[in-house]
Amino acid sequence: MAKRPAPPPLHVVVFPWLAFGHIVPFLELAQQLARRGHFVTFLSTPRNVARIRPVPPELSRYIRFVSLPLPAVDGLRDGAEATSDVPPEKVELLKIAFDGLAAPFAGFLTAVCGEEAGEGHGRRPDWVVVDFAHHWLPPIADEHRVPCALFFVFPAAFVAFIGPKELNDAHPRTAAEHFMVPPPWIPPPSPIAYRRQEAEWMAGAFQPNASGVADGARQLETVRRCALLVCRYSREVDGALCTLLDGIYGKPVVPSGLLAPYDAAAAASSSDAAGGGDDEETASLVRWLDAQPERSVIYVAFGSEAPLTPALVREIAQGLELAGVRFLWALRETSGGMLPDGFEARARAGGRGLVRVGWVPQVRVLAHAAVGGFFTHAGLSSLVESFLFGHPVLMLPLFVDQGLTARLMAERRVGLEVPRDDRDGSVRREDVAAAVRRVMVEDEGEVFAGNARELREILWDTARQEEYIDELVEHLRRRQED
């Protein structure tokens, strides 16, 4: 029998929401597709495209970046194109601007679909992979007969908890109390529920914001209009939740694997071994780490979007002082002025602490031998980066999926949560100090570290992680073969 010719490479358009916590995993997904010879067009705004890290040279012919101009919006300063560029209360203005990308996207798709016989990036797209916020995009793609897939950068627990529009319509959730228990479509017993201050945030996410559309409604409508759902999970980590998702959503939910930044991890390890080549900011940070004992430093970072209040910053800072352990704290610019008077000077004088305001090479820090734990908001990307190096975690979840993930990680005994007041979400410095010591100093910390090292082994089973991408490609190919 004649051998069937191999199908042509896919052309996949990927378009993340305007947050680097979304852009980075979308880029990891794009690179995984490119490594298999598929062509990826990566859409974002001009300033975001300029800030994306360069792809490996061998992938540059497969991934092209296309900038869509972000419309001006009253109250949104020029150059604010990502959530890290604005305070939390102005993110809803960014959503107004984002919705204004519908016309530029339509123009892009019309142009690329006009060349039926093209190849590579000139070929009609086989798929558009969107994010939670793109409720307006699937109708545009439908006009060109291009199917959409929604890529959840959130973990399986959150995807299961939110559910599709049909189940939300059947079981309305309008008050905080509705989010403080598992939804009826998740079998009991389950730890998947929000604490009160998190539940109030979630209830607010289902109310319209300045864009006129609630974040929850955006996601439910985008899910409804997409033919395929892609979720950033691993069966070895997420377990039984994975088997529920297809049934909950009534359509295929395909794993992408955890999309760990292996290239960055390898580069970080080799940089520490080789030395040199760093800018002065990074070099001075690495010199400080080099002077600390092995596994003695807790790295503290709450991401580029964390809604930290002055009260939280103050209690965390004074808790770190009370704990008496070495720490490296990466603070975003908008939080730098919230520190208690004299805190940085006391930390430097005692030789135990270092505060960096602005960007810090997180993977490089986590790869350093002096780091022994990570104090984090429990965002999935940060957890994956921590477990790549076998670090236990101390968690202070702040919004979206983080509370659910923190419950599961605490149940798995890879770390623990900082206690918070259930009425207002406040923390006490004494509780921060006690939690830091449990992770970094006391015998319990060795249990957390041992369990974190088990997750490191799962993550570094790269052959298994590659299989998830191969499974995803097979799903994407099915339409091409129909």
Side-chain angles (χ1 to χ4, degrees), residues 11-19 22-23 26-27 30 40-46 48-50 52 63-69 98 101-102 104-109 112 121 125 127-131 134 136-137:
H11 177 200
V12 180
V13 175
V14 301
F15 190 0
W17 159 239
L18 307 179
H22 293 238
I23 290 170
F26 266 76
L27 183 61
V40 180
T41 298
F42 195 107
L43 302 182
S44 194
T45 60
N48 289 339
V49 166
I52 292 172
I63 301 177
R64 69 164 174 170
F65 294 92
V66 173
S67 297
L68 302 179
F98 180 76
L101 292 174
F105 173 79
F108 157 79
L109 197 60
V112 76
H121 294 112
W127 288 87
V128 179
V129 179
V130 301
D131 210 329
H134 295 68
W136 45 262
L137 189 149

